[in-house]
Amino acid sequence: MEKIVSLCKRRGFIYPGSEIYGGLTGTWDYGPLGTLLKNNLKNLWWKEMVQLRSDIVGVDAAIMMNPKAWEASGHVEAFTDPLVECKVCHQRFRADKEDEIKKHGKIHGDKEDWTNPQKFNLLVKAYLGIIEEKQQELYLRGEITNGAQVNFKNIVDSTRVKIPFGIAQIGKAFRNEITPGNFTFRSREFEQMEVQFYVKPEAKEADKWFEYWKKNRMDFYLALGIKKENLRFREHEDNERAHYAKKAVDIEYNAPFGWSEFMGIHNRGDFDLRRHQEYSGVDLSYKDKLANESFIPWDIETSAGVDRSILFLLVDAYTQDGERTVLKLNPKLAPYKVAVFPLLANKEELVSQARKIYEDLRQDMMVAWDERGNIGKRYFAQDEAGTPFCITVDFQTLEDKTVTVRDRDSAKQERVNIEDLQKNILEKID
Ligand code: ATP
């Protein structure tokens, strides 16, 4: 993990939040490469979930919601983790994290002493309004799900969706995590990507779609290149399921700190819509005109953490190949698709030819430019950044209009005609 954290900082993937002020626990800032990587992941997810499907539509709901929505969804009452406090140094830990508690206890030796577990609400409070005494207390959303649920009726009324259909959303969520840690794995501000998929309220139908989404999501991460042996399903025990879930399965990654959840598939039943109907007084039933029936659908949810997905994609791609550190990211995810170098920075003909290639290619993709130091060092830097291809303009280019294209993973080089470059690279990264 230390190597990943240091690479992320060194290359501009992820920095500690507000670092120059000593940071803010549980927050992270994505740098130039991290932002590109994160956007690529979100765009691929959106393409697969919304663009290529006719049964899912997207929303982008507000982060601040009427606080009643959080009462309805049960978060005010039940969004709690039991917590124990070390009586010696007052550090708090989740009561279910036995290993962390044991490790911490050892620091105090004979003096080790803990409080009984207490409930602790994870919702982050905010205050809205300009006059202090009249400010409205509300919550930053603790999960993005509610933004979809409260728009169920709007979407049914304003689009042509028919059950079964889904609502997709990507956005920020905030939690007062007791013990943020493991880099971005557990943060206080993070992003989620979710589909709430509404189906007829029948166990058989719900089970069918539950199995469908389990496979669909596992296939998504395998197609992105995560190694099969590092992924697994884990079904929740009866006593660990969230308050809303009839059934819950996580997809876990074999992280350096142990198998860890980075997404979940949940059968939420009709819990959310029924509760929002009850608390808002608005009829949220779905009318099936053809079958002449009306019902509150069940919701099969897929909920993934963007940050945890990014973290595990980075961990999985990190490869030490002799002296080289290579991020073997899927080209579709790689921040830069290609880097262009003139062999020598002080040869005008090489620089201007390379510059032209750089300008042409960047019309279609993110392209890096580097003319510093020797070629070997430039390759090393791009390997660490996960750039799949490097193009070098050398003296032969001036004679025969070909360049070298070097492959990140094999380090092999081929010569390609400049006029075929665009097609050649586009084919390789698709
Ligand atoms: P955990 O048990 O690890 O606290 P959770 O079961 O509470 O997670 P969900 O409420 O199911 O998580 O949220 C869905 C997804 O959102 C998680 O699978 C994870 O990827 C992401 N997520 C949740 N909490 C955090 C967090 N504090 N930091 C980063 N990502 C998070």
Side-chain angles (χ1 to χ4, degrees):
M1 276 305 283
E2 270 169 32
K3 285 183 178 167
I4 298 281
V5 176
S6 133
L7 181 137
C8 282
K9 175 104 200 283
R10 189 166 71 243
R11 290 285 163 212
F13 280 96
I14 303 171
Y15 314 120
S18 344
E19 196 181 10
I20 60 168
Y21 290 104
L24 177 68
T25 308
T27 65
W28 299 93
D29 295 341
Y30 285 76
L33 294 197
T35 307
L36 290 168
L37 173 60
K38 198 149 102 125
N39 285 342
N40 289 342
L41 174 68
K42 290 193 283 182
N43 290 340
L44 283 171
W45 185 93
W46 195 264
K47 182 173 178 189
E48 188 166 317
M49 288 300 206
V50 181
Q51 185 180 329
L52 297 177
R53 297 188 69 113
S54 22
D55 57 353
I56 299 184
V57 292
V59 290
D60 184 7
I63 286 175
M64 295 186 291
M65 302 179 74
N66 187 312
K68 265 193 168 176
W70 297 105
E71 281 171 39
S73 62
H75 285 82
V76 173
E77 190 190 331
F79 201 36
T80 51
D81 277 338
L83 159 107
V84 291
E85 188 171 302
C86 167
K87 285 190 185 168
V88 185
C89 68
H90 303 291
Q91 219 174 308
R92 291 167 164 189
F93 293 85
R94 263 169 61 168
D96 58 340
K97 299 283 172 199
E98 284 168 20
D99 289 350
E100 287 175 26
I101 294 171
K102 245 189 225 154
K103 201 167 140 202
H104 182 83
K106 282 193 189 136
I107 301 174
H108 301 303
D110 290 348
K111 293 204 189 100
E112 179 181 353
D113 197 5
W114 296 93
T115 62
N116 288 326
Q118 291 164 345
K119 293 276 185 179
F120 181 82
N121 197 292
L122 297 183
L123 286 174
V124 177
K125 280 189 180 148
Y127 299 89
L128 202 63
I130 46 169
I131 303 167
E132 215 156 284
E133 306 82 67
K134 290 192 179 164
Q135 278 182 330
Q136 185 188 10
E137 186 182 282
L138 43 76
Y139 307 102
L140 299 182
R141 64 184 176 195
E143 57 177 33
I144 62 172
T145 322
N146 256 346
Q149 311 286 10
V150 300
N151 280 297
F152 174 79
K153 182 171 159 42
N154 278 337
I155 284 170
V156 169
D157 290 349
S158 61
T159 70
R160 285 183 296 168
V161 290
K162 296 255 176 305
I163 294 270
F165 77 89
I167 303 179
Q169 186 173 207
I170 300 179
K172 290 258 183 176
F174 304 81
R175 290 184 192 176
N176 247 328
E177 291 284 358
I178 298 153
T179 39
N182 284 330
F183 197 23
T184 55
F185 179 78
R186 189 173 302 287
S187 316
R188 290 190 168 134
E189 172 177 341
F190 55 95
E191 249 179 310
Q192 296 182 307
M193 22 189 209
E194 292 191 348
V195 168
Q196 309 304 322
F197 198 80
Y198 299 100
V199 304
K200 275 193 159 189
E202 292 161 8
K204 212 169 147 204
E205 183 74 354
D207 285 348
K208 182 184 90 186
W209 282 106
F210 192 89
E211 291 307 315
Y212 169 87
W213 282 114
K214 260 175 69 180
K215 179 173 181 324
N216 179 289
R217 289 301 80 201
M218 181 61 97
D219 288 349
F220 176 72
Y221 287 100
L222 288 171
L224 288 182
I226 297 195
K227 296 176 196 83
K228 202 169 178 191
E229 64 271 24
N230 287 336
L231 292 170
R232 73 172 187 196
F233 290 116
R234 190 183 69 85
E235 185 146 1
H236 283 209
E237 305 288 333
D238 285 348
N239 61 359
E240 63 170 322
R241 270 201 304 273
H243 61 279
Y244 51 75
K246 278 182 183 299
K247 192 171 176 188
V249 167
D250 289 339
I251 298 186
E252 294 189 331
Y253 181 77
N254 186 11
F257 42 87
W259 284 95
S260 311
E261 165 191 343
F262 70 105
M263 76 155 298
I265 299 108
H266 311 124
N267 176 352
R268 297 178 77 112
D270 63 5
F271 176 84
D272 301 84
L273 290 180
R274 196 167 283 289
R275 293 272 292 206
H276 285 302
Q277 172 169 284
E278 190 187 319
Y279 280 66
S280 67
V282 175
D283 178 7
L284 295 181
S285 57
Y286 174 84
K287 320 267 175 306
D288 185 338
K289 284 181 196 128
L290 272 182
N292 198 20
E293 39 177 24
S294 165
F295 53 83
I296 299 214
W298 286 8
D299 173 18
I300 310 300
E301 166 191 70
T302 71
S303 172
V306 176
D307 310 81
R308 287 189 189 179
S309 301
I310 293 289
L311 176 60
F312 295 151
L313 283 162
L314 285 169
V315 170
D316 212 69
Y318 186 96
T319 316
Q320 201 71 50
D321 179 5
E323 293 269 280
R324 291 198 309 149
T325 301
V326 192
L327 266 192
K328 294 192 173 177
L329 286 170
N330 183 320
K332 287 186 177 148
L333 288 168
Y336 288 106
K337 307 304 176 198
V338 66
V340 179
F341 316 142
L343 183 66
L344 299 170
N346 56 2
K347 283 277 174 254
E348 175 49 30
E349 307 95 293
L350 297 181
V351 174
S352 61
Q353 178 62 78
R355 202 80 204 167
K356 170 139 192 3
I357 291 172
Y358 170 68
E359 293 298 343
D360 284 349
L361 287 178
R362 71 199 296 208
Q363 304 301 320
D364 291 304
M365 62 191 94
M366 286 302 299
V367 188
W369 170 266
D370 196 355
E371 55 182 26
R372 299 160 309 162
N374 65 44
I375 285 284
K377 279 206 180 125
R378 295 184 217 165
Y379 284 154
F380 269 47
Q382 294 303 328
D383 287 344
E384 277 202 342
T387 311
F389 303 102
C390 292
I391 294 171
T392 306
V393 170
D394 54 19
F395 290 104
Q396 191 181 327
T397 311
L398 303 179
E399 286 165 20
D400 66 2
K401 295 268 173 230
T402 65
V403 291
T404 63
V405 176
R406 179 228 187 224
D407 178 89
R408 175 194 66 198
D409 297 347
S410 65
K412 289 213 172 92
Q413 303 188 11
E414 57 170 341
R415 287 206 81 89
V416 176
N417 277 320
I418 293 177
E419 59 184 29
D420 300 332
L421 254 187
Q422 195 125 345
K423 192 163 162 274
N424 181 290
I425 301 286
L426 282 173
E427 270 170 17
K428 282 181 174 144
I429 62 174
D430 190 24

